[in-house]
Amino acid sequence: MKVDGKLTRSIWLEPDGWSVGIVDQTVLPHRFATLRLTTLDDAARAIKSMQVRGAPLIGAAAAYGICLALRADASDQNLERACAALSATRPTAINLKWALDEIVAVVRNQPREARVAVAYRRAAEICDWDVVINQAIGRHGVKLIEDVATRNNGAPVNILTHCNAGWLATVDFGTATAPIYTAHDKGMKLHVWVDETRPRNQGASLTAWELGQHGVPHTVIADNAGGHLMQHRMVDLAIVGTDRVTAQGDVCNKIGTYLKALAAKDNDVPFYVALPSPTIDFTVSDGRAEIPIEQRGGEEQSTMTGMTSDGRIETVRVVPAGSNVANYGFDVTPARLVTGLITERGIIPATREALVQTFPERATEAR
Ligand code: MRU
């Protein structure tokens, strides 16, 4: 997508052909800054500190992390060490494991001297594939927006989204935002309700920023506002992303997604989840019982960071010193609350049958 008019991806290979460029997402929306990763430790730190975040981008960054590790030492032991270090960065998004498995599968049987080139090739393919997938999600998902637009008789379509499942969370286009960008680029009238997404405010900081860069009308709301808007028919459609979809169609996504799905069900608002196939984990069924939920540092909950009126970035405490805080990163929305899954192969029900039928090769791999 464009930043100040210039086509930009969230991760890229630098002109030197080996170091890796990223957008530093911890300083948005106040500053657009890029960083150069040159070592495995740089890549692991970028994922852990959420300079890169969002399930597909975590996978892409991990793939390049392996490339950087192999450049330093292409031995089996170092490959294992790199996989262990990257796997430990964030536990919930399955795309991390998927990307590591993809790289290891192509590198393992290569002689040491061939490994670096093979790994870089695969990492680039993972990135390009993500872009192609998201464009397909956009083509399928836009039909949902077109249907509502027809019913709305020309009034803007109101879409609610949670967290950031936009281009910053992927390599480009985003998942939940792909149908939105596609509709906007076709000239359709739409408006996006952006959940602020406490505690890290990915909605307020990142989704609002990227929608603004692309000229998509949007309004940031407190996380608790969604139910009220749905009761008042101010939301036509909810579209969110996901960090892991189980074999039975349960959806793990940023904390608060479940509450939006409950409110949507109660108000007959269609609740769709956009996902690339690497986000499906056929090895787990019951998301609530089986998906590890990341718990992050309490300071994300007890403080807020923003820009002062004189342009300084400051972090302030918003919870009394001494109060306990808890910071659960994700929750699981049971499949029964999901209207449909927007995938690169079409919109399907959130059921085991539909997932297996649509992605038989992934289901077979997992056996
Ligand atoms: O903790 P984050 O910011 O990595 O969480 C991101 C999300 O929950 C996204 O909705 C999800 O990864 C889908 S991104 C296409």
Side-chain angles (χ1 to χ4, degrees):
M1 305 298 291
K2 285 187 180 161
V3 178
D4 296 330
K6 183 172 168 237
L7 277 177
T8 310
R9 283 186 173 187
S10 63
I11 191 165
W12 59 91
L13 210 54
E14 293 286 1
D16 59 20
W18 66 271
S19 64
V20 180
I22 58 165
V23 176
D24 180 358
Q25 302 195 21
T26 58
V27 296
L28 281 170
H30 310 296
R31 265 193 319 123
F32 180 79
T34 61
L35 291 170
R36 184 168 165 257
L37 312 178
T38 61
T39 63
L40 165 67
D41 286 353
D42 284 353
R45 199 177 316 111
I47 298 172
K48 204 170 174 56
S49 68
M50 295 178 65
Q51 286 170 325
V52 289
R53 29 69 50 206
L57 179 56
I58 291 171
Y64 275 121
I66 295 290
C67 301
L68 295 171
L70 292 177
R71 234 182 138 254
D73 170 1
S75 67
D76 284 352
Q77 297 89 310
N78 199 42
L79 179 61
E80 260 173 49
R81 192 180 70 86
C83 282
L86 291 161
S87 299
T89 52
R90 296 198 67 193
T92 301
I94 196 64
N95 307 57
L96 174 57
K97 178 177 183 307
W98 173 84
L100 292 176
D101 289 349
E102 287 284 308
I103 288 273
V104 171
V106 294
V107 160
R108 206 178 19 219
N109 296 325
Q110 297 289 331
R112 280 191 192 193
E113 58 281 8
R115 286 182 169 180
V116 173
V118 168
Y120 271 101
R121 205 171 316 126
R122 195 74 186 121
E125 282 165 3
I126 286 172
C127 290
D128 290 343
W129 195 33
D130 180 69
V131 176
V132 170
I133 286 178
N134 296 339
Q135 286 170 329
I137 289 173
R139 282 195 300 277
H140 294 298
V142 76
K143 294 183 198 123
L144 299 170
I145 301 175
E146 282 167 347
D147 287 350
V148 178
T150 309
R151 286 201 299 276
N152 278 8
N153 273 327
V157 178
N158 281 297
I159 302 162
L160 180 137
T161 193
H162 190 70
C163 192
N164 173 262
W167 73 264
L168 289 166
T170 65
V171 176
D172 207 349
F173 294 105
T175 55
T177 53
I180 293 170
Y181 288 133
T182 307
H184 177 81
D185 290 350
K186 281 180 154 195
M188 294 173 63
K189 281 200 243 162
L190 52 88
H191 165 263
V192 184
W193 295 110
V194 178
D195 286 349
E196 64 177 342
T197 320
R198 274 285 281 156
R200 288 189 65 99
N201 288 330
Q202 289 95 326
S205 302
L206 305 177
T207 306
W209 179 81
E210 60 163 90
L211 291 175
Q213 286 286 324
H214 201 70
V216 179
H218 62 279
T219 305
V220 178
I221 50 173
D223 288 320
N224 298 327
H228 170 77
L229 296 179
M230 290 182 197
Q231 282 179 327
H232 289 267
R233 315 308 316 158
M234 292 162 79
V235 180
D236 294 304
L237 196 62
I239 309 180
V240 300
T242 172
D243 292 82
R244 200 185 297 213
V245 170
T246 73
Q248 67 184 21
D250 292 344
V251 169
C252 184
N253 192 46
K254 181 53 57 192
I255 194 82
T257 304
Y258 171 50
L259 292 177
K260 294 301 140 66
L262 283 171
K265 187 73 166 182
D266 196 45
N267 291 283
D268 292 324
V269 173
F271 188 89
Y272 284 92
V273 178
L275 67 140
S277 53
T279 306
I280 306 167
D281 183 357
F282 276 106
T283 69
V284 295
S285 284
D286 179 344
R288 195 187 55 81
E290 296 176 76
I291 297 177
I293 299 296
E294 178 178 14
Q295 290 189 53
R296 297 184 57 84
E299 72 289 348
E300 291 182 354
Q301 186 61 44
S302 59
T303 63
M304 286 187 84
T305 300
M307 184 179 262
T308 60
S309 54
D310 58 355
R312 283 172 296 117
I313 308 291
E314 289 217 341
T315 299
V316 295
R317 171 174 269 280
V318 291
V319 172
S323 288
N324 289 329
V325 287
N327 184 4
Y328 295 91
F330 299 91
D331 60 24
V332 173
T333 299
R336 67 187 154 76
L337 299 178
V338 177
T339 311
L341 303 173
I342 312 171
T343 77
E344 70 265 29
R345 294 186 186 166
I347 302 176
I348 62 171
T351 62
R352 186 183 296 272
E353 298 68 37
L355 282 162
V356 171
Q357 204 182 355
T358 312
F359 297 101
E361 73 287 6
R362 297 290 318 285
T364 312
E365 266 166 37
R367 272 193 209 121

